[in-house]
């Protein structure tokens, strides 16, 4: 006999990672933190959203290779340079470039969860990219699935 | 005694926002519209996808600050310029730059829903960015959760 | 009388598309493949994530127009050029530009499923963009909904 309810219940996990970097720009590999939260959620099949809650920081997936990190930083600085008289600076801010870097690299990734773990490719790692740090900032981790 | 089904049912809301801008390029803050739809859905925990259904418009999250909007527009024009003899224009179109701006800034965001509301950071606002307007275009709002 | 469980069960489909392109850079329209998997899943309302599992390939949505494909390729090469002495190349790799192209165009899209089909706009097509091919690479297709 089937139980009264044979459907697996939908599970949701919500958590927040806090960062307060010492340098203005910093790159942090958060794959392990996300992975642990997914394991704790008990979700076997679903999605996890990893999303910066600030508009001057990014979240992206790429390689864990220090040379490439420098390439990415130089590239971001070339395409979204600091030291420019952005109109945004007339408000007293000085982080116009950080907003553009956020838009260029993106602030969120959605990672599939399969058989209870992050279903990432062999080289895929999740990074938090701080572009205007030295203050408390958050990333939301929200997983949903069965 | 437990009810026959103690799992909360999955709720889905689908709606479409229509835009017909007067200018070719325009920026519209749609946070409130998305927020109202999420409230109407009754979803307490889940995700809402906000996605342009056209390939010459973007959806992104950033700051509600007019100076920054100008910075973003100038930046998009610099990296994905108009006035270039794109091969796409051999079809009779003249909006090659709008396609590239769409790819640069992205056409979709996924926003977490927590305790019945959009779980956005303090400065995060959702924008529809029109790059080839003066005609009817749509954004899909699709929310799913419990 | 209602059945013991009147909530529709959550369905999940996970599949992987394999590519092994003959040329280093290649563009493949995968809309039909994704569409068939969504149909097979039986999901009526939900989301499908289409995500490259490699850090030197992209997934994006844009127009099925060969002239535009050339424009996009030239644009990617302009903003994330090959033939540069990237620091990443000190590891023996020669694909630094492919990493940057991946970051520029993005590696994932989330497509809404409505009434059992991909809810795309009239011109929206899903593409796999290979930036460092001639070897086996994967895209995950993960759909969830009711």
């Amino acid at each position: 006999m089937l139980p009264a309810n044979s459907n697996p219940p939908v599970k949701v996990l919500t958590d927040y990672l806090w960062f307060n970097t010492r340098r203005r720009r910093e790159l942090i590999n958060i794959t392990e933190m996300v992975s642990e939260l997914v394991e704790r959620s008990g979700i076997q099949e679903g999605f996890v959203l990893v999303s910066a809650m600030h508009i001057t920081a990014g979240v992206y997936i790429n390689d864990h290779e220090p040379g490439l990190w420098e390439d990415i930083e130089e590239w971001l600085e070339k395409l979204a340079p600091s030291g420019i008289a952005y109109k945004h600076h007339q408000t007293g801010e000085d982080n116009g470039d950080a907003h553009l870097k956020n838009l260029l690299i993106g602030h969120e990734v959605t990672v599939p969860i399969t058989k209870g773990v992050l279903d990432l490719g062999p080289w895929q790692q999740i990074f938090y990219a701080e572009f205007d740090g030295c203050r408390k900032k958050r990333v939301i981790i929200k997983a949903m699935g069965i």
Side-chain angles (χ1 to χ4, degrees), chain A:
Chain A
M1 199 184 102
L2 284 170
N5 182 350
S6 58
N7 296 339
V10 171
K11 297 187 181 99
V12 178
L13 172 138
T14 309
D15 213 323
Y16 305 88
L17 306 177
W18 285 92
F19 300 100
N20 192 345
T21 62
R22 273 183 301 177
R23 285 173 293 140
R24 185 157 194 182
R25 292 189 212 154
E26 213 157 297
L27 192 62
I28 301 168
N29 187 331
I30 59 173
T31 316
E32 199 53 47
M33 301 180 211
V34 178
S35 179
E36 282 171 17
L37 287 170
V38 164
E39 200 168 322
R40 194 191 302 167
S41 77
I43 294 169
Q44 294 301 301
E45 299 292 328
F47 300 119
V48 57
L49 176 72
V50 181
S51 184
M53 301 184 79
H54 297 263
I55 51 195
T56 52
V59 168
Y60 70 85
I61 287 180
N62 216 285
D63 202 352
H64 190 87
E65 200 280 292
L68 186 67
W69 298 342
E70 286 187 57
D71 293 328
I72 292 171
E73 188 170 352
E74 282 174 27
W75 179 70
L76 287 168
E77 181 61 23
K78 188 176 140 206
L79 294 192
S82 56
I84 282 186
Y86 290 111
K87 292 195 177 64
H88 183 48
H89 295 177
Q90 295 170 11
T91 64
E93 291 284 356
D94 65 349
N95 60 4
D97 71 298
H99 287 272
L100 301 182
K101 287 177 171 91
N102 157 292
L103 291 170
L104 181 54
I105 207 140
H107 76 284
E108 66 177 49
V109 295
T110 298
V111 183
I113 304 167
T114 306
K115 295 177 184 169
V117 299
L118 296 177
D119 200 348
L120 290 168
W123 306 104
Q124 287 187 308
Q125 297 281 301
I126 311 169
F127 291 92
Y128 174 70
E130 180 60 81
F131 302 127
D132 187 25
C134 310
R135 53 202 176 96
K136 286 182 76 179
K137 290 167 87 169
R138 281 193 300 171
V139 170
I140 185 168
I141 313 294
K142 187 137 199 158
M144 182 165 74
I146 54 176

